[in-house]
Amino acid sequence: MNWIAPAPDGCVVTIKAIPRAKRTEIAGVDTDWIRVRIQAPPVDGKANDELTRFFARHFGLPKRSVEFLSGDTARLKRIKLYGVTEQACRCVISGL
């Protein structure tokens, strides 16, 4: 699966964001990305903030441990989860 890559201090996850959904949730896992529905609109960084809160909450991380590497203004985003192994990430994502 190409949607996740290990990093020395965590893992990098590729996300395809779908804003203005009824609720924030994982909508599916494709080969190249995780599809995430985001309740917030893509205005003034609200969708990115919601995405950060969502991943921080489900991985038990502080919000500062979720970093956007690319795609701040695009639907396709890459985020880094500090302190989360690739295997742990797969387990949490499959349980959502």
Side-chain angles (χ1 to χ4, degrees), residues 1-3 5 15 18 32 35 38 42 47 49 51-52 58 66 71 79 81 85-86 93:
M1 291 185 191
N2 297 330
W3 59 268
I15 298 165
I18 303 165
D32 295 326
R35 188 173 293 117
I38 303 170
D49 291 343
L51 194 60
T52 299
H58 286 291
V66 179
I79 62 168
L81 303 173
T85 65
E86 179 183 0
I93 294 296

Side-chain angles (χ1 to χ4, degrees), residues 2-64:
N2 297 330
W3 59 268
I4 187 168
D9 50 355
C11 65
V12 177
V13 180
T14 304
I15 298 165
K16 185 168 187 180
I18 303 165
R20 291 189 176 109
K22 286 188 179 183
R23 63 178 166 222
T24 303
E25 63 185 353
I26 301 290
V29 178
D30 293 333
T31 304
D32 295 326
W33 57 69
I34 297 172
R35 188 173 293 117
V36 181
R37 292 187 183 121
I38 303 170
Q39 187 174 13
V43 177
D44 298 330
K46 291 179 183 180
N48 288 344
D49 291 343
E50 176 64 21
L51 194 60
T52 299
R53 279 192 297 275
F54 178 77
F55 276 93
R57 181 175 58 245
H58 286 291
F59 284 94
L61 299 171
K63 289 190 285 186
R64 69 178 178 273

Side-chain angles (χ1 to χ4, degrees), residues 72-93:
D72 285 347
T73 59
R75 287 185 187 243
L76 198 59
K77 303 173 183 298
R78 289 180 58 234
I79 62 168
K80 185 170 188 177
L81 303 173
Y82 287 94
V84 179
T85 65
E86 179 183 0
Q87 184 177 0
C89 183
R90 288 181 193 276
C91 290
V92 170
I93 294 296

